[in-house]
Each structure stands twice: as structure tokens, then as C-alpha cells.
Amino acid sequence: MARRSYKTDLGCIACDELTELGAGKSGWLVDNPNLLCAIDTQSLALANRSTILLILSWSEPNASRVKIRPELSPIEAEFISAIEWFVLDDVRVVVAGTSCGFLLVFSLRGELIHRQMIYTGRVLKLRVRGTKKDLIQDTSSEEFCVVMPGVVARIDGSDIQNMLQKWFEEGHSQFWGQKPKGQDSEDFESQSVKLPYQLWNIGKYGTCTDAALTGIMPPPLLENQSSQRYYCAVAVGEDAVISAYRLSEDKGRSLVGELLSKVVPAAFSTVASFSKLIWRSEQTSPKKSPKKSDEKPQPFARASPLTCFKDHPRKGEKLTLSPSGTLAAITDSLGRILLLDTQALVVVRLWKGYRDASCLFMEMLVNKDITSSSSNHYEPVKSDYCLCLAIHAPRKGIIEIWQMRTGPRLRTIPCAKGSKMLQPTYRFGASMSSAPYMPLEVFFLNGDSGMISVLNRTLDS
């Protein structure tokens, strides 16, 4: 009887260029904490502290490879700390975050499209996500998030799309290997307008190691008539395993804060006048004019804490969101995995004994009636798929697939040592309604063999 395989091999990334990133040694893909990976449906980006390697169309035998060496500050010992793909329909770019808080956008030819400082700090994570308006979701939102220690920034997806569209229209058609016709990318980068973004401080309960915006949430009490949007942010870290915040687009204060700002100054006006008389002599003494900095950081918008879960010595490590943002899988330092309902902000499920684990949500065809349909031309729709959680336990050498939210374990798959679980980034732009639904898939990269495989969508395969 043939052994059943739950994965399908797609291609191999083995090449000489990988030697610079440490390939050739056992466990090179998972043992180096500075080695970063990001995957698209047909391309892979790998980066160490100073170099980005793009492997385009790995399924082809002569896949093109592009090596990018960003200009980093040697004085600040700047290095690449995060990497992610940004996909808009047929346009793909790679985005890198640095240890000095810069965001770098590169084309597939390695040309710098955009460079911008977000905040003074190390970029921990770059997240691309979006939700479409449907029967379940009342609103649609597409965003690019930058996570730093205690800080999260949000860039609207339309702003990045407009920037890329402008770059493309000005003659830079190097997305697909064409030669640029107009000015070079350095001129475009120097003339480009900075991307607008919102910035929030989410470090009230300690520095976070990972965070995510889970979606739009209702306004707080007394502000139900507010026209601005509010977002929910979930963070994990060393001091607080889980913390949640309500983020406002407004940089001002809440309604209660505005009332206090009018009442408190009036109550203390007498004290203030009296203090001026006492310190008048010091005020008349010469002062040194403050030195203006060349580049001031953008002020924080309002972030209101919602809840916090502390359980010393437990520390939150990694966080992954479901496609709708209503569930979050969180790994901690004690080998536990917590399934968080991001709307109710309660833990609805717990797994134990998964040290160094990583999690990704995926969609599978659990209903056997669909997979065994007599019609060979039937294309499954979104409602046919079931949301599942893939847990990669490297110490056990297995991958487990669990049905959400409280369903059983569907399968256990052996996994080679030195493998990493990856997932393609969210694709911007509305897809055609007639196109078949593309479920959320999970890919595996075997560092020792260089093989890329995808988990099968059905249980019977």
C-alpha cells in the first residue's frame, strides 16, 4: 500500500547564491535568528543583516535570482530586521524594515522605489492584511502595518497603491524585466512624497515583541456619534503575555479628556498665577534656546488600553491572525498556544507542550461530500472551506492541523528537521468575482533539500 502524502512538492530553490546566506550547513534555515523569509505564490525572498535575495518563479528550472544590497548606516550599525512582499494584482515589490526604523521598498530588479523613516526603533514585523466587505464583514479595509517595540504604525493600502502606480506610470516598468524609460529610481525616490501613516504607542504594559491590528472596532462610550475609525490592536511581550488597545485616528484627546482640559486649568489658575510671582526671578534669567531637531518624530495618535494579561514568568512570543482578524494564535515561552477571540478578548482554547512552535491559519475542505462530488468541473466556493490552525512543532518533528474553533485534530504530518512554515502575503486589489476562490494555504520550505511544498487542501489527499 502506497504511503499517503499530505504535501505536494512545487519546486526547489537550491542555488549558489544561497551560500552567502548560510546554505550548505544542516539547519541553516532555522538556526540563524537573523535569517528572514517571506513567500509569495511563485517567489521567495530571503534576507540576512545586509543582503536580500529574491528567487523568482521557483517552479521553473532557470528561475531568475536578484541580489539586493540596501544602503545601510554603518555608524548606527543598521541592519535588515524584517521583510515582506507587497502584491497588487500583477505587481509585486519587496518591503524591508531596518533596525533604525526605516521602510525600504524595492522592485523585482532591485531598484529602490521608496525609503521612509517610520519611527526611531527596530522594525520587528511587517504585516499586510485586508478584509473585503461581504455578508459577514460590514466594512472593507486594506492596510500595511509596521510593528516596533511598543509601537505600531498603520499605512493605508490605497496610499501604497497610489505610490506604486505613480512610480509605474513614470516609466519604471521594471516589474517584469523591462528597461526604464524615464528618470532613474533615485530621482523618483528623492522627489516622492512621504507615505501618510498613523502611529500609536502600545507600550503601556511593557515592550511588545509582536503585535497586530485585528480590525475596526466600535467607538468608546460617549463617542458613538464619532465619524472617525477605531482599530483594535493586540500585542504580546515579556511583561504582558497579551494586551489589547483601542486605537483612534485622532491625535487629540477623548471627549472626557477635552472636558477635563477645560475644567482643570480653570481650577488651578490661581495656583498658577501665584507660582509665577514666586519664580519670576528665575524666569527673567537668560535661557538657552532649545535646539530644533532636523527631523521630529510623528506624534502618537490616541491609544486606550482595553485589557492586559500578566502571568510571570510566562512571556508572549509570536502572534498570527486569522483572515478575518477575529482569532489570534499566540505562542508563549512555556510551550503553550493560546487561541484568542479578538472581539471578546478572551482565550477560547489552549494547547500545551509545543515549545518553539509556530502557527498559521489555513482553509481546508473538511466536507467529504464536496471532495467526492460527481461533477469534475465543480469549483469549491469560500463557504465550502473550513478554517483550521496549522501548528508546526519542530521539537516533535510534526505538523498538526486543528479545526477551528473547538474542532478536533484533523491530521498529523511528519516534518523534516530544518523546515520552516510560510504563508503568502495578502494580495491587494479586488479579484474578479468570476475567478475561483483561492483558499488560505500553508507552504513548507525544507532548508536542507531546498524543496518547497504546500499542504493539500483536502483530508483525503
Side-chain angles (χ1 to χ4, degrees), residues 303-406:
S304 306
L306 296 175
T307 187
C308 173
F309 170 58
K310 294 186 177 182
D311 185 22
H312 185 78
R314 186 201 304 251
K315 301 176 183 179
E317 293 182 342
K318 290 177 289 187
L319 180 151
T320 184
L321 279 181
S322 65
S324 63
T326 57
L327 290 176
I330 298 168
T331 60
D332 65 20
S333 57
L334 300 183
R336 295 183 174 96
I337 300 173
L338 296 84
L339 186 64
L340 177 73
D341 184 324
T342 61
Q343 295 180 328
L345 295 178
V346 294
V347 176
V348 296
R349 195 164 186 176
L350 177 69
W351 292 267
K352 296 182 179 180
Y354 292 86
R355 289 190 180 273
D356 302 327
S358 58
C359 302
L360 287 174
F361 287 94
M362 63 178 298
E363 292 173 315
M364 294 188 64
L365 290 171
V366 180
N367 191 342
K368 293 184 179 181
D369 294 336
I370 296 174
T371 60
S372 59
S373 175
S374 58
S375 175
N376 295 328
H377 303 286
Y378 178 77
E379 287 289 348
V381 296
K382 184 177 181 179
S383 59
D384 294 332
Y385 290 92
C386 178
L387 183 64
C388 301
L389 182 67
I391 302 175
H392 178 209
R395 294 196 179 190
K396 299 179 180 180
I398 58 173
I399 312 156
E400 294 182 350
I401 311 297
W402 292 81
Q403 186 175 347
M404 296 291 98
R405 296 185 170 189
T406 57

Side-chain angles (χ1 to χ4, degrees), residues 43-58:
S43 302
L44 182 72
L46 299 102
N48 57 14
R49 295 173 66 93
S50 60
T51 305
I52 302 173
L53 177 63
L54 306 181
I55 302 177
L56 310 176
S57 302
W58 64 63

